[in-house]
Amino acid sequence: MLTLLLFALIIAALVIALTYKIQNENQLRSQVSSLKKSLSDMDEQAKLIVRTDIELNKIEEELDKKISGLYALQSLSRMISMTLEEDQIFRRIQPEHLKELGFEKAFGFLWDDKGKRFVLRFSIGYPGEAIKSIESFFNENKERCMNFITSDKTLSSISASNNLITLQQLNEIFKINSFIICPLAPQQNNRGLIFVGTQNLETTVTEGDEELIKILSTQLAQALENARLFEKTWNAQQELEKKVTERTRELTLALEEVKKISDNKTNFVSSVSHELRTPLTSIKGYAAILLTGKLGDLPPEVRQRLEKINRHSDELVHMVNELLDISRIESGRVTMRTEVCDLKEITAKVEDLLSGQLKERKLSFIVEIDPEANAVLADRTQLERVFINLVGNAMKFTPPDGSITIKSHKMDKMAGISVVDTGCGIAEEAHDSIFDEFYRVDNTINQEVKGTGLGLALVKHIVEAHGGKIWVESSPGSGANFSFTLPIPA
Amino acid sequence: MFSQLSLWLTLFFKVFIIQPMRVGIGVSTELDHLKAVKEAVEEAIIQIKTDNIDFALLFTTEEFSHSLVLQTTADLIGQIPLLGSSSPIIISKNGPLKHGVVLVLFKLNEGAYFNAACIKDITINNTLSSGEELGGKLLYGCKNVHRDLGMIFSNINTGEYSSLVTGIQEKLGRGFPLVGASLPKRIDHAENHLYFGPEILNNAVCGVLWGGKLNFGLGIEHGWQPLGKPRYATRTQVDTVNEIDGLPAVNLYKEYFGKETLELNRELKRISVFYPLGIAVSENKEYLLRSVISIKNDGSLLFRGEVPEGSMVRLMISSKDSCLAAAAKAAKTALDNARGKKIKFALVLNSLSRYALLGRQAAQEIRIVRETLGSDVPFAGIYTSAEQAPLNSANYNLGKTYFHNNSIAILTITE
């Protein structure tokens, strides 16, 4: 009985243990299953990670490549843009630039319009024989190549169709596995193409690569155009400089000729004036003798004519003298004997000299001399002539009750002297010519009043011989202001 | 001429020197090849301050005229033992150089030894024996001295890199540390060249065995992390993985990328760089990376390096930040392994895949190495297609040498 009970207890214990073990095993199985599921889930997640990662890597790789390419392109562009010589532009492309862009072979051709052929401008990574055969290929297929250039479309191992030439043929000719070929400057002047390629089987050309090479070709084209324009500008400048030199030489010769003519004129005027003075003196002398009546009474008509002869002879003598003075000053035969002159004193003398005429014409004579511009360095006699001429002129053109004012003021190291009248004034178009010899302003007064047209010319010569300048400010109806400068003693 | 070449191939260099170790590094980026070499030599000589040079490491970018480079170097520094290579990108203290020359001159200290040797004409059939032959040559004459580390450079056109390392270690010891680089192919798919003395070699392996009073510190990292569930390489043949979890190996990539084989082939370069396969090693503490080279018609995958059958494999993923952090960690480990001694020189072997992944931040990786090692530590190196070194998790003095992909290996030399 006891044994039976013991046996039953053992059985019960075993059943409990077995039940516990089964429960435990079920639990473990469930955990393993759960872990397996987790592992499986994680593996699925890993697949997602890998797929996303490879895409990201691709993008990053492309971006890296583009950035490196852009750096290389930037450095190349900088060097190209600084070059203004066609040959030097192509020489700037170095193997390391190509390497950065992902290629190791390159060449460039330009179309020679005269020779009607493609001319090699640079090559990298090709031995002499290989590049010669490539040059032959381009020149044997001129028409196709020109069509390609004018199409302005980039061709590469990813975009090329087999219409023109198969990729395999291109690979054989250019000894590459991937390539990009890009038209260069489809303008008339610099048509050509550039080619880059690589033998590396693992390199795949991308659209990004195509864009970079397109930029490079545009830069090259721009640099070539700049070089061409520079050459053109340079040649034009050289031509211009040549022309300027030639024209300067012609002008110098002309000036010398003018000087010679002017000298001749001065000499001629001087000689003629001298020659005129002798007979004039005789005419005037005989006329004067006749007028005295020492040779008999003269009928009134004859006396009248003789007086006319005498008066005209005086005018002629005056004109001849002025002409002689001008020619002397022009030729430098007259030396200005400069001394310190007192303007107040000189103007007083002039006023005294002309007081009769001033009174007769009812003109007031005003002198406004700045004490600081009273003393001037001048030839006293010549300065008096300047004032007499200018005041005389003013009197001629100022109507009665008008005024003539002489002013002076200091202008740095010069004295500015003006003779201002309230006369009829001078039209602006006559300002430039008024100081020319024999020039007379076309107005009613000049038509009535006689004059030689030499007075202002003489004044100008005298002022300039003193190192001064003379000019006029006037307009019709508002009087005239003749201003000139003379040096002030230090 | 023949006798001179034979002499070079079998020569070993035992150096007994009284002065302390000196290193001079010359760098030039001159476009003119001759000028570049002259400039680099002059700078290195100025730095080393002696004409009595024991050994030279020379790295150039691939476009250089290699015979001209070697001839000019020999004319300027004499016929001294020289090892080196060309590569698409070389490493200077200022960053990666796509065009340039880096010359490192060594004047070793008292009691330092080295022996340089090379093996040419390596084919798929003689990789193991070539490794053994190189090991034997390196060992010859260094039998009675303490040997520290072997440095190897190879440009063999075969997948059996592991056999080569195995062969070398058969002679030098299974746990003997080797640090080395496999050169990447050139842009035109030709081989990059190895330099051994005056010779330019292809399908060859060159090495130098260091011994005596020298200490080495290594740091190697990749920065890739496992992703997805673990799988097993159920059928493999050296560097070809036929099946993973009993299915064609390509299915793993098809499944993860959601692409068919044709599309995968188109993106193979990117996949190879960014998503290598990771082999769990050292009790799953580390992952050795294997980049896919090609997809075979039967769905097998050819990897850069051996994948042992039955190994646990996982798809690996990385980011720029993770890569940069790994470079910092490798430099820190190398620095720590120098045990506070003044680092005379650091050799940096960096994977080209990392350069591709980092893109414009590749220079930052070198800057991080410089900052971590210390701005006064001279270093130079090359970008590689694969790196050989022990694992970080094992003590490198005892650890087996592994074949790495996508890694940065930094080797410091102290006295």
Side-chain angles (χ1 to χ4, degrees):
Chain A
M1 186 63 186
L2 193 67
T3 312
L4 200 64
L5 189 65
L6 195 66
F7 186 70
L9 275 171
I10 289 167
I11 296 272
L14 281 172
V15 167
I16 290 165
L18 191 66
T19 312
Y20 179 75
K21 199 177 175 185
I22 288 167
Q23 266 182 348
N24 228 2
E25 204 179 305
N26 283 341
Q27 205 176 343
L28 278 171
R29 202 167 284 148
S30 154
Q31 277 176 352
V32 166
S33 160
S34 169
L35 278 172
K36 267 187 179 171
K37 193 177 179 308
S38 294
L39 195 62
S40 186
D41 286 349
M42 277 170 66
D43 206 41
E44 288 305 311
Q45 285 167 6
K47 285 170 194 170
L48 280 177
I49 291 169
V50 166
R51 285 167 202 179
T52 315
D53 192 63
I54 197 167
E55 288 308 314
L56 283 174
N57 278 328
K58 260 192 237 174
I59 294 165
E60 203 171 347
E61 211 175 295
E62 181 68 15
L63 205 64
D64 264 8
K65 203 172 159 189
K66 221 165 188 175
I67 291 169
S68 301
L70 281 171
Y71 272 123
L73 202 61
Q74 188 206 19
S75 123
L76 193 56
S77 298
R78 199 171 47 234
M79 285 194 286
I80 288 172
S81 62
M82 286 191 303
T83 314
L84 287 167
E85 237 179 281
E86 195 181 292
D87 285 343
Q88 288 293 328
I89 290 168
F90 289 109
R91 273 186 213 144
R92 300 285 179 197
I93 306 171
Q94 292 293 320
E96 58 266 27
H97 295 127
L98 275 187
K99 221 172 179 180
E100 285 295 329
L101 290 165
F103 303 95
E104 78 277 359
K105 294 188 174 197
F107 58 75
F109 283 98
L110 283 184
W111 175 251
D112 175 15
D113 231 5
K114 284 179 192 164
K116 299 286 174 209
R117 61 192 303 275
F118 283 101
V119 180
L120 178 75
R121 301 318 304 260
F122 83 100
S123 81
I124 293 170
Y126 287 100
E129 285 303 313
I131 200 68
K132 267 184 194 165
S133 69
I134 290 171
E135 191 169 12
S136 305
F137 168 79
F138 276 99
N139 283 311
E140 281 160 15
N141 295 278
K142 284 176 201 169
E143 204 177 323
R144 276 201 288 179
C145 293
M146 285 308 276
N147 286 342
F148 163 69
I149 292 166
T150 44
S151 75
D152 199 17
K153 281 181 185 158
T154 307
L155 191 76
S156 78
S157 35
I158 52 161
S159 64
S161 65
N162 285 336
N163 294 347
L164 291 169
I165 186 165
T166 65
L167 282 175
Q168 201 185 343
Q169 279 174 307
L170 283 172
N171 292 352
E172 278 165 18
I173 294 161
F174 301 144
K175 313 270 183 266
I176 37 81
N177 290 306
S178 301
F179 74 94
I180 300 171
I181 184 163
C182 192
L184 195 64
Q187 298 104 329
Q188 284 299 312
N189 301 307
N190 292 311
R191 281 177 299 178
L193 52 90
I194 57 162
F195 169 96
V196 293
T198 178
Q199 264 188 303
N200 194 343
L201 284 166
E202 288 158 358
T203 301
T204 317
V205 167
T206 62
E207 281 180 20
D209 293 325
E210 281 187 6
E211 282 165 18
L212 286 180
I213 300 305
K214 178 82 186 160
I215 294 169
L216 175 64
S217 82
T218 311
Q219 295 274 355
L220 277 170
Q222 190 59 54
L224 286 170
E225 188 64 11
N226 287 348
R228 200 180 61 80
L229 286 174
F230 176 75
E231 200 182 338
K232 207 173 162 186
T233 313
W234 174 258
N235 289 342
Q237 192 193 335
Q238 293 299 309
E239 189 64 26
L240 196 67
E241 272 181 19
K242 208 171 142 188
K243 275 185 181 167
V244 167
T245 313
E246 181 66 21
R247 192 52 58 86
T248 309
R249 198 180 62 82
E250 282 173 14
L251 283 172
T252 311
L253 287 174
L255 191 67
E256 278 170 14
E257 191 65 23
V258 168
K259 259 184 165 178
K260 218 160 136 185
I261 292 166
S262 176
D263 287 348
N264 287 344
K265 181 208 81 179
T266 308
N267 290 337
F268 171 76
V269 169
S270 177
S271 326
V272 169
S273 304
H274 274 293
E275 293 304 316
L276 280 173
R277 266 194 0 181
T278 315
L280 263 174
T281 312
S282 298
I283 292 166
K284 190 174 158 51
Y286 288 124
I289 291 166
L290 286 171
L291 280 169
T292 56
K294 285 177 183 172
L295 297 176
D297 288 337
L298 299 170
E301 292 81 10
V302 174
R303 174 170 291 279
Q304 207 181 341
R305 301 295 188 279
L306 276 173
E307 278 170 353
K308 248 185 181 174
I309 289 170
N310 196 28
R311 198 169 61 248
H312 285 299
S313 297
D314 282 344
E315 283 168 6
L316 211 53
V317 168
H318 180 69
M319 188 191 276
V320 167
N321 285 341
E322 284 193 332
L323 273 172
L324 272 172
D325 286 341
I326 289 169
S327 66
R328 279 192 200 121
I329 294 168
E330 271 184 347
S331 64
R333 286 200 298 267
V334 174
T335 316
M336 296 293 150
R337 284 189 289 272
T338 54
E339 58 182 305
V340 178
C341 300
D342 188 317
L343 281 180
K344 280 183 186 167
E345 196 184 298
I346 289 173
T347 49
K349 191 177 173 184
V350 170
E351 186 182 5
D352 188 47
L353 200 69
L354 302 172
S355 58
Q357 292 174 52
L358 288 165
K359 203 171 179 179
E360 190 187 320
R361 296 185 67 86
K362 296 177 186 171
L363 295 173
S364 50
F365 188 80
I366 306 157
V367 177
E368 293 171 0
I369 303 290
D370 180 348
E372 284 193 358
N374 183 40
V376 293
L377 273 177
D379 182 316
R380 183 178 295 274
T381 316
Q382 299 298 346
L383 185 56
E384 282 173 8
R385 289 180 80 179
V386 168
F387 278 115
I388 289 166
N389 263 300
L390 291 176
V391 175
N393 250 1
M395 286 195 317
K396 206 190 293 180
F397 297 103
T398 306
D401 301 320
S403 68
I404 296 165
T405 309
I406 295 179
K407 297 177 189 174
S408 86
H409 63 280
K410 198 181 173 192
M411 295 164 65
D412 198 14
K413 289 176 182 173
M414 305 291 274
I417 303 156
S418 306
V419 177
V420 186
D421 64 49
T422 55
C424 59
I426 307 154
E428 202 170 334
E429 57 268 23
H431 289 189
D432 287 340
S433 317
I434 202 161
F435 297 104
D436 292 350
E437 288 155 31
F438 302 108
Y439 183 84
R440 283 169 65 81
V441 177
D442 185 20
N443 58 28
T444 47
I445 297 167
N446 260 341
Q447 282 161 14
E448 289 166 10
V449 182
K450 287 184 178 175
T452 59
L454 290 170
L456 286 175
L458 182 64
V459 165
K460 185 174 184 267
H461 277 101
I462 294 170
V463 169
E464 285 174 353
H466 281 87
K469 281 181 184 174
I470 186 164
W471 66 97
V472 64
E473 289 165 44
S474 177
S475 57
S478 58
N481 179 356
F482 282 86
S483 300
F484 61 97
T485 57
L486 285 173
I488 290 174
Chain B
M1 184 69 184
F2 180 74
S3 61
Q4 198 185 1
L5 279 177
S6 315
L7 193 69
W8 265 107
L9 294 174
T10 54
L11 200 62
F12 76 92
F13 306 98
K14 180 182 174 185
V15 183
F16 180 75
I17 303 139
I18 298 162
Q19 291 172 326
M21 183 183 180
R22 281 192 214 156
V23 175
I25 301 183
V27 182
S28 177
T29 53
E30 267 284 345
L31 290 177
D32 183 277
H33 298 184
L34 198 65
K35 273 188 192 171
V37 178
K38 282 182 178 172
E39 196 176 271
V41 171
E42 277 167 19
E43 192 189 348
I45 287 175
I46 288 169
Q47 282 188 19
I48 201 166
K49 293 172 190 158
T50 176
D51 292 333
N52 192 10
I53 298 152
D54 297 319
F55 179 71
L57 275 176
L58 176 67
F59 302 123
T60 68
T61 43
E62 59 194 25
E63 73 283 6
F64 270 84
S65 163
H66 306 283
S67 51
L68 178 78
V69 168
L70 290 180
Q71 185 59 53
T72 313
T73 310
D75 289 348
L76 294 169
I77 61 172
Q79 294 282 359
I80 59 161
L82 180 146
L83 234 72
S85 74
S86 64
S87 172
I89 307 160
I90 59 172
I91 298 167
S92 84
K93 218 172 165 179
N94 296 326
L97 300 177
K98 280 185 173 178
H99 171 87
V101 180
V102 176
L103 176 72
V104 189
L105 300 179
F106 293 86
K107 169 75 187 159
L108 299 177
N109 66 12
E110 182 185 349
Y113 300 85
F114 75 91
N115 184 20
C118 81
I119 302 294
K120 298 192 283 188
D121 304 322
I122 300 174
T123 63
I124 195 154
N125 300 319
N126 65 2
T127 324
L128 183 73
S129 60
S130 297
E132 285 173 348
E133 196 183 344
L134 180 69
K137 281 186 176 180
L138 289 173
L139 199 56
Y140 186 71
C142 281
K143 279 177 182 167
N144 299 321
V145 294
H146 171 73
R147 301 178 293 272
D148 294 300
L149 181 126
M151 208 181 260
I152 53 170
F153 294 91
S154 61
N155 63 348
I156 53 174
N157 193 17
T158 161
E160 295 196 320
Y161 301 99
S162 303
S163 303
L164 187 79
V165 172
T166 308
I168 297 168
Q169 288 192 322
E170 281 297 323
K171 293 289 175 183
L172 297 177
R174 299 241 169 116
F176 188 77
L178 293 173
V179 174
S182 298
L183 303 183
K185 298 243 183 191
R186 289 158 56 110
I187 203 162
D188 56 4
H189 300 276
E191 297 296 333
N192 262 295
H193 303 297
L194 279 179
Y195 302 142
F196 185 71
E199 284 191 280
I200 300 162
L201 308 173
N202 287 320
N203 294 325
V205 56
C206 300
V208 56
L209 185 64
W210 299 96
K213 290 183 179 177
L214 286 174
N215 291 304
F216 295 89
L218 175 74
I220 181 160
E221 293 290 339
H222 50 68
W224 265 257
Q225 297 297 325
L227 188 78
K229 61 184 179 189
R231 292 155 196 268
Y232 290 89
T234 42
R235 192 157 66 86
T236 71
Q237 286 170 311
V238 193
D239 51 359
T240 304
V241 179
N242 306 103
E243 287 177 7
I244 294 173
D245 283 348
L247 296 168
V250 73
N251 282 21
L252 174 78
Y253 282 86
K254 279 162 86 172
E255 199 181 307
Y256 274 95
F257 291 94
K259 293 179 194 292
E260 286 307 311
T261 310
L262 196 67
E263 283 176 278
L264 283 176
N265 253 324
R266 259 191 236 127
E267 299 218 26
L268 198 62
K269 189 194 164 195
R270 192 172 283 110
I271 289 170
S272 169
V273 169
F274 292 106
Y275 313 100
L277 200 69
I279 308 166
V281 285
S282 195
E283 294 168 345
N284 298 351
K285 281 184 199 161
E286 284 189 57
Y287 283 88
L288 272 181
L289 302 186
R290 292 289 179 262
S291 301
V292 188
I293 294 174
S294 65
I295 303 168
K296 293 184 178 175
N297 290 337
D298 63 353
S300 303
L301 297 173
L302 176 68
F303 287 94
R304 186 172 285 121
E306 189 186 11
V307 180
E309 195 166 280
S311 53
M312 190 182 94
V313 293
R314 291 178 81 175
L315 192 73
M316 306 292 279
I317 192 168
S318 186
S319 68
K320 289 184 179 177
D321 286 345
S322 170
C323 251
L324 294 175
K329 196 176 170 195
K332 178 76 172 50
T333 312
L335 185 68
D336 291 346
N337 285 335
R339 298 168 207 277
K341 289 180 183 168
K342 184 174 169 57
I343 298 170
K344 296 287 182 175
F345 174 69
L347 177 71
V348 180
L349 303 173
N350 199 3
S351 170
L352 258 186
S353 297
R354 301 173 70 80
Y355 187 88
L357 184 136
L358 287 169
R360 296 191 326 113
Q361 287 181 41
Q364 200 182 330
E365 186 180 39
I366 304 303
R367 199 157 52 240
I368 286 170
V369 170
R370 187 177 65 220
E371 283 163 8
T372 312
L373 290 177
S375 56
D376 59 331
V377 172
F379 71 83
I382 51 166
Y383 278 87
T384 61
S385 72
E387 309 72 42
Q388 292 97 49
L391 289 172
N392 250 341
S393 52
N395 181 340
Y396 92 89
N397 280 319
L398 301 169
K400 182 188 165 193
T401 295
Y402 287 85
F403 195 82
H404 302 256
N405 287 179
N406 296 26
S407 302
I408 179 167
I410 303 166
L411 180 72
T412 56
I413 306 177
T414 56
E415 287 183 291

